[in-house]
């Protein structure tokens, strides 16, 4: 496993990391979660991603219990939480990025994950109702208190991230270090275009999510996937509506053929394509079965197959390179 610096920070995360959205405390049994966590750690993964909202807190509870059962030294792994959506409660005090919720959510995540500090703490979405100053000060204070080591954002605009940095600089506070955007062959604009200046000016790191577009980029939806797959779950029909369409499936078909030509599989090719981008600090994997993780862990080994020619063939199939602004 290779390790990459998280933006301009000194922290080095494994280039593949592992998250628990939909799976832990929900889709899969705790025994399977434990097996996946072991496989990830044994492969050199040092970052486990979580959020208050995943299974309304149950995902953090399961991960916390599993981590506590292992004898892995605390200085060999990192764990995150994210705040914004709440852990089930919908009252205004129970969600958002105001001081009350950010602090209470941090305390709850520490208890559920059974840790003394969160290595990474993300603002899961921007909060238009809370002054940016309040959130930046609160994150800074949590770091000062030793409850959080690095804070960041998820799905914020470049302008919002820069706004947070301006405030941090003005008051000598610690600013956001990393962003967690969606990034995969079908969703590219933020990572490839919007954040370009932010990488260079403040040294933004990225922990990218849904690298396989929730499983679309495995090719299994082209083959009439079995009933227990993510995009057939009732609560995710909204996501299936966005992702599963003729145009995407036709591209996936051709990408699958290309992977075959290269002697590899589509999941590995799609993950390697994400790893190839130097602005990606770590690619967050998700898996509901050990054999999926096993396969996905093979992605770094095929990055060298992505020559200029292969990248051009992928680009021709995708036909969705985001336009860069003209200056
Ligand atoms: P992916 O796009 O890689 O989707 C993972 C899912 O695809 C698996 O759970 C499995 O679902 C299927 N899959 C994975 N590998 C294979 C394989 N080799 N063969 C067949 N099927 C496979 O990543 P996620 O969407 O899970 O995102 C990764 C992590 O990113 C999350 O766990 C979470 O930590 C984070 N995240 C953050 C968000 C944010 O807003 N900040 C939003 C979403 C995720 P199944 O078997 O059920 O089909």
């Amino acid at each position: 496993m290779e390790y990459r610096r998280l933006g301009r920070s000194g922290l080095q995360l494994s280039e593949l990391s592992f998250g628990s959205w939909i799976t832990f405390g929900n889709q899969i049994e705790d025994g399977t979660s434990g097996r996946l966590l072991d496989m990830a750690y044994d492969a050199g993964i040092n970052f486990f991603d979580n959020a208050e909202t995943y299974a309304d807190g149950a995902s953090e509870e399961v991960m916390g219990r599993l981590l506590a059962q292992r004898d892995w030294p605390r200085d060999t792994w990192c764990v995150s939480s994210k705040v914004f959506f709440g852990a089930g409660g919908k009252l205004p005090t129970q969600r958002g990025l105001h001081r009350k919720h950010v602090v209470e959510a941090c305390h709850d995540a520490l208890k559920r994950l059974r840790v003394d500090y969160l290595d990474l703490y993300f603002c899961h979405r921007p909060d238009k109702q809370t002054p940016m100053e309040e959130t930046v000060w609160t994150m800074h204070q949590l770091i000062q208190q030793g409850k959080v080591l690095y804070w960041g954002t998820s799905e914020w605009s470049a302008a919002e991230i820069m706004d947070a940095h301006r405030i941090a600089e003005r008051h000598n506070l610690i600013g956001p270090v990393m962003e967690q955007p969606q990034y995969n062959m079908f969703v590219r604009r933020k990572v490839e275009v919007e954040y370009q200046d932010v990488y260079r000016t403040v040294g933004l790191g990225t922990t990218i999510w849904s690298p396989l577009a929730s499983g679309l980029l495995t090719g299994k939806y082209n083959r009439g996937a079995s009933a227990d797959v993510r995009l057939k779950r009732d609560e995710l029909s909204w996501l299936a509506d966005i992702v599963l369409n003729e145009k995407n499936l036709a591209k996936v078909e051709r990408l699958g053929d290309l992977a075959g030509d290269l002697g590899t599989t589509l999941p590995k090719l799609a993950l390697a394509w994400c790893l190839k981008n130097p602005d990606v600090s770590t690619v967050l994997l998700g898996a509901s079965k050990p054999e999926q993780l096993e396969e996905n862990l093979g992605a770094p080994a095929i990055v060298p197959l992505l020559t200029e020619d292969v990248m051009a063939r992928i680009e021709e199939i995708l036909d969705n390179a985001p336009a860069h602004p003209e200056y």
Side-chain angles (χ1 to χ4, degrees):
M1 183 69 66
E2 301 276 327
Y3 298 84
R4 296 185 183 185
R5 271 179 70 191
L6 183 60
R8 207 169 280 164
S9 82
L11 184 66
Q12 292 187 43
L13 296 182
S14 45
E15 60 184 351
L16 296 177
S17 42
F18 183 63
S20 60
W21 182 52
I22 307 289
T23 50
F24 283 35
N26 183 18
Q27 183 187 8
I28 62 178
E29 300 293 321
D30 295 357
T32 308
S33 300
R35 172 103 178 83
L36 292 167
L37 218 49
D38 288 340
M39 286 174 67
Y41 185 80
D42 290 346
I45 284 180
N46 70 2
F47 168 37
F48 305 120
D49 185 63
N50 222 316
E52 57 168 355
T53 190
Y54 294 172
D56 288 345
S59 170
E60 292 187 339
E61 271 167 23
V62 170
M63 192 177 275
R65 192 160 56 242
L66 293 169
L67 285 170
Q69 287 165 357
R70 274 135 185 89
D71 56 1
W72 302 339
R74 184 65 180 88
D75 60 1
T76 61
W77 48 272
C78 300
V79 72
S80 72
S81 182
K82 305 187 203 83
V83 55
F84 176 76
F85 292 108
K90 297 290 176 224
L91 295 171
T93 48
Q94 295 176 303
R95 46 182 298 149
L97 298 180
H98 49 83
R99 182 173 286 111
K100 181 171 171 64
H101 185 59
V102 172
V103 169
E104 288 174 349
C106 177
H107 291 169
D108 289 346
L110 291 173
K111 278 191 216 118
R112 288 191 292 257
L113 288 164
R114 305 190 198 195
V115 289
D116 298 325
Y117 54 89
L118 300 170
D119 301 272
L120 286 79
Y121 194 31
F122 294 89
C123 297
H124 211 157
R125 292 293 180 270
D127 179 358
K128 314 283 181 197
Q129 313 294 323
T130 298
M132 185 68 84
E133 277 87 352
E134 184 172 334
T135 304
V136 176
W137 270 104
T138 305
M139 284 296 185
H140 175 81
Q141 284 158 347
L142 286 172
I143 291 176
Q144 298 292 297
Q145 292 164 8
K147 293 172 185 167
V148 168
L149 303 188
Y150 298 91
W151 80 275
T153 58
S154 180
E155 296 296 338
W156 283 29
S157 67
E160 287 160 339
I161 296 169
M162 290 312 294
D163 198 19
H165 271 279
R166 266 192 297 275
I167 288 163
E169 206 174 305
R170 189 177 315 142
H171 301 286
N172 265 328
L173 308 176
I174 297 170
V177 160
M178 69 287 175
E179 155 67 33
Q180 187 165 126
Q182 182 174 185
Y183 185 55
N184 56 55
M185 286 175 163
F186 289 110
V187 178
R188 303 172 57 177
R189 198 190 51 81
K190 267 185 191 287
V191 168
E192 292 183 23
V193 178
E194 183 175 341
Y195 297 149
Q196 280 307 310
D197 287 343
V198 195
Y199 303 135
R200 320 265 168 265
T201 51
V202 297
L204 185 74
T206 57
T207 67
I208 62 122
W209 60 268
S210 283
L212 296 176
S214 276
L216 169 71
L217 281 162
T218 64
K220 65 186 179 185
Y221 293 94
N222 294 62
R223 302 187 294 269
S226 59
D228 62 341
V229 294
R230 180 184 297 180
L231 294 175
K232 289 192 181 170
R233 296 179 70 80
D234 286 344
E235 81 269 23
L236 292 176
S237 58
W238 61 271
L239 182 59
D241 287 345
I242 298 171
V243 169
L244 293 180
N245 58 59
E246 296 276 314
K247 210 168 139 198
N248 285 355
L249 288 167
K251 290 181 183 181
V252 169
E253 191 67 38
R254 291 185 63 201
L255 290 165
D257 292 343
L258 176 60
D261 290 348
L262 296 170
T264 186
T265 65
L266 181 53
K268 285 200 258 193
L269 180 72
L271 294 169
W273 181 90
C274 296
L275 283 168
K276 175 101 177 160
N277 185 333
D279 293 320
V280 168
S281 312
T282 183
V283 173
L284 267 168
L285 302 177
S288 69
K289 298 184 176 68
E291 53 272 27
Q292 295 174 352
L293 187 56
E294 180 82 49
E295 177 173 26
N296 300 348
L297 287 169
I302 72 134
V303 174
L305 297 182
L306 298 182
T307 58
E308 251 180 60
D309 173 53
V310 170
M311 289 300 277
R313 284 168 71 190
I314 292 173
E315 204 63 87
E316 186 262 317
I317 294 171
L318 292 177
D319 190 25
N320 63 0
H324 287 253
E326 286 172 20
Y327 295 104

